[in-house]
Amino acid sequence: MAVTKGFKELVQRRVAKDPEFATALLREGIDTMLTGDVDTGKAILRDYIKATVGFGKLGEATDTPPKSLIRMFGPRGNPQARNLFGIIGYLQQQAGIELHVAVAPR
C-alpha cells in the first residue's frame, strides 16, 4: 500500500507540533532497523529527516550530498554502516536524545 502525500504531510505537521512524537518516530525507525526490517526503518527515518532537519542540512552536517542521502533512505537504498551510524548520531544530537541498545528480557 502506497503512503499518500496527505499522510506524509500529517506526519510532518505532527512532528513539528509534538516533540514526544518526533522522538518516538526516531526511536521507532532505529528499532525497526535493528529488528531486521531495514526497508521499513529507512522509510520511517526518511519521514523523520524530512520533518525535522531536512536532507540539505543533514548533508552539510555529514559531508554527504543530499541526493545521496535521499537515495540511501529510498526503497532501493543500501547505506553503509559508517554512513548510517553517522546519520543516526547526528539525528540524536539534533533531537537532544541518546538511544542505547539493551537486552530485552525473555
Side-chain angles (χ1 to χ4, degrees), residues 49 52-64 66 69 90 94:
I49 292 164
T52 56
V53 297
F55 284 102
K57 185 175 178 182
L58 180 60
E60 288 177 22
T62 60
D63 199 29
T64 307
L69 292 169
Y90 176 77
Q94 290 301 299

Side-chain angles (χ1 to χ4, degrees), residues 58-98:
L58 180 60
E60 288 177 22
T62 60
D63 199 29
T64 307
K67 286 187 178 189
S68 293
L69 292 169
I70 292 167
R71 280 193 297 273
M72 277 186 223
F73 289 95
R76 295 182 1 205
N78 188 16
Q80 294 181 356
R82 178 184 317 262
N83 295 332
L84 185 60
F85 288 124
I87 290 164
I88 290 171
Y90 176 77
L91 294 176
Q92 288 181 98
Q93 180 184 27
Q94 290 301 299
I97 63 171
E98 189 174 298

Side-chain angles (χ1 to χ4, degrees), residues 4-30:
T4 64
K5 185 174 182 179
F7 178 76
K8 289 184 179 199
E9 290 172 354
L10 175 68
V11 169
Q12 289 180 346
R13 285 194 307 269
R14 176 87 186 266
V15 165
K17 291 189 324 187
D18 187 350
E20 288 181 18
F21 178 78
T23 298
L25 191 63
L26 175 58
R27 189 183 71 237
E28 185 64 27
I30 295 168

